[in-house]
Amino acid sequence: MPENTLLTKPRVTVKNWIALIFLVVILSGIFQRSTGPLQVLDFTNLSGKFGVIGDTGANFIGKGGSGAKDGFMAGLNLIPAVMFFCGLLNVFQELGAFEAASIVFNPILKPLMGIPGTAGVAFISSFTGSDVAAVMTRELVDNGEMTDEERTIFTSYQYAGSAVINNTITGGAPLLAISPIALGPIIVIQFVCKVIGANIVRVVLKVSGKKHKEGK
């Protein structure tokens, strides 16, 4: 009987590891504020800015707006970045970055939140952006690499204090100046709370699953 190749784990090569390193670096935000050629190693810089006017920060979304129109324009602004990321994701998927990610992150994410190691890159990207992590999570589910329960747990982690680094630095900037705690501990506390929240959802799903099986 011929061997079922679908059950054979793909061999991880040096190319896969290099692809994973580049993907993590691009999504991590390490080079977001760099100058020179290193700027291209950041996803935000690669996505670019549209219509920024001088130091005011005003763009096609406007400045100081509110209401449904402002929300619509903010959502519209995400479309180019998400489209670009979908293409980028396919490139790194073909290069085998996710096979390498599974090896690195599986020993961490499985005990931490009960999700597979293939979600490792989405886990890293969720520190700086929720939209990119959401796209990656959907890809994992569509490809059968993550179950519905695992998606629920991971989503509960992502959207409690989403994009924890970027939003703490930008949205919380006025409070950081008067905070008695440094930026680092603040982010660590938020991260711990996010993990606790994900595990609460994990326990709820496990208990409800047992009750559902017992009720049959």
Side-chain angles (χ1 to χ4, degrees):
M1 188 174 180
E3 183 183 0
N4 188 350
T5 54
L6 292 175
L7 298 178
T8 305
K9 290 185 179 180
R11 180 171 170 267
V12 178
T13 64
V14 174
K15 180 188 75 172
N16 303 145
W17 290 113
I18 294 173
L20 175 63
I21 291 169
F22 267 96
L23 183 56
V24 169
V25 168
I26 287 171
L27 296 176
S28 65
I30 295 173
F31 295 106
Q32 185 173 352
R33 301 183 184 278
S34 297
T35 57
L38 290 176
Q39 291 183 87
V40 300
L41 293 176
D42 180 74
F43 177 75
T44 303
N45 293 333
L46 288 172
S47 300
K49 296 179 180 178
F50 182 80
V52 176
I53 305 170
D55 297 328
T56 63
N59 51 36
F60 88 107
I61 297 177
K63 190 174 181 182
S66 62
K69 290 182 180 179
D70 192 53
F72 176 82
M73 295 305 290
L76 187 65
N77 187 45
L78 294 174
I79 294 176
V82 171
M83 290 175 66
F84 168 62
F85 179 73
C86 286
L88 193 69
L89 186 64
N90 286 331
V91 171
F92 281 99
Q93 192 169 14
E94 288 297 320
L95 291 173
F98 294 101
E99 283 81 359
S102 179
I103 294 174
V104 173
F105 290 102
N106 206 54
I108 301 171
L109 295 181
K110 267 293 180 184
L112 190 67
M113 289 187 288
I115 59 177
T118 47
V121 180
F123 175 74
I124 294 295
S125 67
S126 69
F127 282 95
T128 55
S130 56
D131 47 347
V132 171
V135 172
M136 295 187 71
T137 304
R138 179 173 179 175
E139 287 283 334
L140 290 169
V141 175
D142 289 346
N143 293 337
E145 298 177 41
M146 182 179 281
T147 66
D148 284 339
E149 286 194 359
E150 290 168 343
R151 173 178 58 182
T152 303
I153 295 167
F154 194 28
T155 303
S156 67
Y157 165 82
Q158 290 182 45
Y159 287 98
S162 63
V164 62
I165 293 177
N166 270 9
N167 287 337
T168 301
I169 294 173
T170 56
L175 298 176
L176 291 176
I178 60 173
S179 173
I181 306 174
L183 176 62
I186 290 173
I187 292 175
V188 170
I189 291 169
Q190 291 181 82
F191 170 71
V192 171
C193 291
K194 283 161 66 71
V195 172
I196 292 172
N199 278 284
I200 290 173
V201 173
R202 183 182 177 185
V203 170
V204 170
L205 289 173
K206 191 172 182 179
V207 171
S208 61
K210 283 183 178 179
K211 288 183 178 179
H212 180 69
K213 287 180 181 178
E214 290 172 355
K216 285 186 176 181

